[in-house]
């Protein structure tokens, strides 16, 4: 396959070239076309990006397949230009042993339509098993309770994880401090419809981030702070980076594009952990975009019925894997972020941070996983066009300039702007 007249985006800039693909790999990037491939695709007017790597999704499989399953989740990913997903361990049963990790792999490998990696989950007692886990992209520690039962609230148990986990691998934390969350939940319990940002306040993430950074510093371990949501948390990560602590961080589209103002309108459809924050917190994330390593979705679907329950009963989490790229492209058009930064934070940095071979870049010998986008085309986010099983989006109705036109995996077209062609089982485990 030859993709001609492509404008290839990387963190270094835009390269105009013709892309030659053979056996699923990029074999050359050339200014001229010599010879002819079996198939030529004209990319005139479009930008070509590496397939996105979403380092934070919850595809609910196994255990809650009515919300999403690995096939519907990976199809939604492909429709959003995402060709690699990192699935979190709070499925059911929790992925907290080698045996359960292996069983989960067996279940999802037959369903995956895009490439994937799985996280291992920390419990209060599995530090020794975590230390020698094989086939996981990293360790996920829930410092505060959210969907599922994984939780490490005991300080000694938490420290032991940091002490024992291999230093070349990533420890990702859901940084909300359990004690703080409990205290505030108690305080607001009587209220029928409290604000989620008050029930799980900014101080909870600040407290947890401080603890996690302290431990990463003490034991020299690679810490990844998931879903940054507040200015104070952002500042803690920045300071730690300045001090040379091996810390990275991510921000989600919902924390970048929505605020607590939207939460009022969205009600439980805008309820996730950590919550949507103040405009000031949102602005702080944008102002510090240089210090944000990854943008990842925390795609966490629940059904409409589940979300329509009262505040205290409705689960936390929103879908996002297929709306991330259009939202970011629209922000490129609004000059809030550059296309180079989008590629850096959604393709290159995740590949580098987790050591994914052949991913994250459009270059010779790399896998031919890429996305063609139209920066001028406007599309409206509409539930009926989404592939996620939950069938709704907190971004519903937004008109976004910038659309995902075609997606390729190993040189084969898997999405044409309307249909996903990838078959269940066609994705690979990147940590097999
Ligand atoms: Zn999550």
């Amino acid at each position: 396959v030859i993709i001609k007249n492509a404008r290839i985006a990387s963190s270094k800039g835009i390269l105009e070239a013709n892309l030659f693909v053979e056996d699923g790999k990029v074999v050359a990037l050339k200014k001229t076309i010599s010879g002819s491939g079996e198939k030529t695709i004209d990319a005139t007017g479009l930008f070509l990006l590496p397939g996105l790597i979403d380092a934070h999704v919850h595809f609910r499989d196994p255990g809650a397949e009515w919300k999403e399953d690995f096939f519907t989740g990976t199809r939604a990913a492909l429709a959003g230009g995402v060709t690699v997903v990192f699935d979190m361990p709070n499925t059911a049963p929790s992925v907290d042993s080698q045996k359960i990790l292996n069983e989960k792999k067996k279940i999802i490998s037959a369903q995956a339509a895009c490439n994937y990696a799985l996280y291992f989950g920390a419990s209060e007692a599995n530090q020794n098993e975590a230390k020698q886990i094989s086939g996981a992209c990293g360790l996920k520690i829930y410092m505060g309770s959210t969907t599922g039962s994984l939780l490490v609230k005991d300080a000694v148990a938490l420290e032991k994880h940091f002490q024992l986990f291999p230093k070349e691998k990533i420890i990702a934390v859901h940084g909300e401090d359990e004690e703080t969350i409990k205290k505030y939940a108690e305080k607001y319990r009587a209220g029928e419809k409290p604000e989620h940002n008050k029930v799980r306040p900014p101080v909870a993430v600040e407290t947890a981030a401080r603890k996690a950074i302290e431990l990463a510093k003490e034991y020299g371990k690679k810490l990844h702070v998931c879903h940054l949501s507040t200015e104070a948390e952002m500042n803690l990560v920045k300071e730690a980076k300045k001090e040379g602590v091996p810390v990275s961080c991510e921000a989600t589209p919902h924390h970048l594009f929505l605020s607590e103002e939207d939460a009022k309108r969205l009600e439980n459809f805008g309820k996730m952990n950590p919550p949507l924050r103040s405009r000031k917190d949102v602005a702080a994330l944008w102002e510090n975009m240089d210090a944000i390593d990854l943008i990842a979705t925390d795609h966490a679907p629940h059904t409409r019925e589940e979300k329509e329950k009262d505040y205290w009963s409705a689960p936390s989490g929103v879908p996002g894997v297929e709306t991330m790229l259009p939202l970011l492209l629209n922000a490129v058009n609004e000059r809030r972020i550059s296309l180079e930064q989008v590629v850096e934070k959604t393709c290159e940095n995740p590949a580098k941070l987790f050591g994914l071979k052949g991913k994250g870049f459009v270059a010779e010998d790399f896998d031919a996983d890429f996305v063609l986008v139209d920066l001028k085309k406007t599309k409206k986010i509409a539930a009926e066009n989404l592939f996620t099983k939950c069938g709704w989006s907190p971004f519903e109705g937004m008109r976004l300039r910038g659309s995902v036109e075609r997606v390729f995996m190993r040189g084969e077209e898997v999405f044409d702007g309307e249909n996903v062609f990838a078959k269940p089982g066609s994705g690979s485990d990147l940590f097999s």
Side-chain angles (χ1 to χ4, degrees), residues 78-291:
L78 289 173
V82 172
T83 54
V84 178
V85 293
F86 287 21
D87 193 53
M88 288 297 172
N90 59 340
T91 36
S94 301
V95 182
D96 59 3
S97 73
Q98 183 74 59
K99 185 167 169 276
I100 295 171
L101 177 69
N102 296 347
E103 281 165 8
K104 178 171 175 178
K105 287 192 175 203
K106 235 178 261 166
I107 294 165
I108 66 172
S109 67
Q111 297 189 64
C114 75
N115 303 312
Y116 58 94
L118 300 185
Y119 262 104
F120 185 70
S123 73
E124 301 239 298
N126 70 352
Q127 294 85 352
N128 283 305
E129 192 150 10
K131 181 177 90 175
Q132 48 201 8
I133 198 74
S134 88
C137 57
L139 178 68
K140 175 72 181 283
I141 304 180
Y142 289 89
M143 295 172 73
S145 36
T146 181
T147 303
S149 57
L150 284 171
L151 176 66
V152 181
K153 60 176 187 206
D154 179 65
V156 177
L158 180 68
E159 178 160 1
K160 201 172 163 198
H161 273 297
F162 276 88
Q163 203 175 358
L164 296 183
F165 200 66
K167 75 172 196 312
E168 66 280 4
K169 291 199 199 167
I170 300 283
I171 301 175
V173 297
H174 178 110
E176 281 185 292
D177 182 62
E178 181 67 7
E179 217 175 294
T180 312
I181 295 171
K182 271 206 163 145
K183 194 175 91 189
Y184 280 81
E186 215 51 62
K187 188 174 157 191
Y188 287 96
R189 180 94 46 210
E192 196 184 301
K193 226 191 223 179
E195 285 174 47
H196 196 46
N197 191 20
K198 292 200 172 118
V199 178
R200 294 175 81 112
V203 65
V205 293
E206 191 184 342
T207 308
R210 192 168 276 127
K211 279 185 193 169
I213 287 168
E214 207 46 60
L215 290 167
K217 187 173 159 184
E218 183 169 349
Y219 294 102
K221 299 296 161 79
K222 281 188 189 167
L223 170 67
H224 180 68
V225 182
C226 294
H227 38 56
L228 285 188
S229 63
T230 75
E231 184 173 18
E233 195 185 19
M234 181 80 245
N235 287 338
L236 284 172
V237 170
K238 264 170 61 184
E239 278 166 37
K241 283 186 171 195
K242 229 183 261 170
E243 279 182 57
V245 181
V247 57
S248 56
C249 63
E250 94 199 1
T252 70
H254 49 263
H255 290 120
L256 288 169
F257 295 103
L258 299 171
S259 73
E260 62 180 355
E261 305 297 318
D262 299 289
K264 286 180 193 145
R265 161 179 68 83
L266 291 164
E267 300 195 338
N268 294 330
F269 292 88
K271 182 189 181 195
M272 79 291 287
N273 300 330
L276 295 176
R277 304 299 194 188
S278 68
R279 288 209 178 124
K280 188 165 175 279
D281 282 322
V282 175
L285 297 183
W286 283 100
E287 278 156 26
N288 292 292
M289 192 49 81
D290 284 348

Side-chain angles (χ1 to χ4, degrees), residues 56 58 140 298:
H56 193 151
H58 300 266
K140 175 72 181 283
D298 196 5

